[in-house]
Amino acid sequence: MINRRDNSMEERILKLKQERNAVILAHNYQYGEVQDIADYVGDSLELSRIAARTDADVIVFCGVHFMAETAFILSPEKTVLLPDAGAGCPMADMITAEQLRQKKMELPGATVVTYVNSTAEVKAESDYCCTSANGVKVVTQIDNEEILFVPDQFLGKFIISRTGREMTLWPGYCPTHVNISPEDINRCKRDYPGAKIVVHPECRPEVIALADEALSTSGIIRYAGRADIRELIVGTEVEILHRLKKENPGKKFIPASEKAICPDMKLITLDKVLKSLETMTPEVKVPEEIRVKAKAAVDRMLEIV
Ligand code: 13P
Ligand code: SF4
């Protein structure tokens, strides 16, 4: 059934988007209706690459604060809008720039690799950024025995398991992904014995150990598209099922846990996207001195294909 109000809201968003020469980027965890009005839906790496090359004047970032900040770091001449200024990432807030400076003093020879789920100030103190899609590649090509990885201990442990490299880990974590337990995966396996299991590398190691693959959100989308996948247990934020179902009619997707919800991602709604385009707020900016330093770490990541 067509909802008249929502339909007209979508039309108003699309009209304003044209008038403003805006591009709408949406993360794979956004509400389905927000994904559906976006120009691009993707993982953190894909969206930052798009933000770096778009010729739009305005980027409406439907995601969380660090993602909008990364878009600004790469494209400071553009207006970057985050439709709800309160959409943060608790993991990103688990390390401050001051804490990282302290840790660097303890490990003066270490190369600092920072998950893109971090503030611009923390990126500015880092040598490399990485996302869940390229963390293994980034760490593999670092020519230093000593690596400090912040802030996600579980992505860090996953990278260690895949690269055999030693790293000092910061004890951060994603409150949404730690909600997924090995019991959840085992229950799904009992209910769907023929299903494959894919999880996000922010999950706990004991959850990753039960999975066939641990991939970034868009990695999960590509994996689900494989011809041999008919049933898939999915260990990440539940909204990813919108795109999985849309792109794979006829396949069965089972959320590993209904509790894997990111409340910050859920702050972005269609009416806030419209309001944001109407008022050209809330804008995300980064002071130039921090931006330039943070960009060096992000650029080093983007150079790694
Ligand atoms: P992706 O880069 O895999 O999309 O992950 C971002 C994120 O915040 C996962 O919780
Ligand atoms: Fe941050 Fe976790 Fe939400 Fe991703 S799912 S944005 S890591 S809190």
Side-chain angles (χ1 to χ4, degrees), residues 29 41 46 86 114 123 153 160 179 246 281 295:
Y29 296 160
V41 183
E46 290 171 334
T114 295
K123 287 183 178 76
Q153 60 179 304
I160 290 171
N179 274 334
K246 192 171 160 181
T281 62
K295 186 171 184 293

Side-chain angles (χ1 to χ4, degrees), residues 127-162:
D127 299 303
Y128 288 85
C129 273
C130 78
T131 75
S132 64
N134 64 10
V136 169
K137 257 190 192 167
V138 169
V139 169
T140 300
Q141 62 86 63
I142 289 172
D143 189 18
N144 184 359
E145 292 289 288
E146 233 189 322
I147 300 174
L148 169 62
F149 187 85
V150 303
D152 186 6
Q153 60 179 304
F154 296 130
L155 177 62
K157 282 183 183 164
F158 171 75
I159 294 172
I160 290 171
S161 76
R162 294 300 192 269

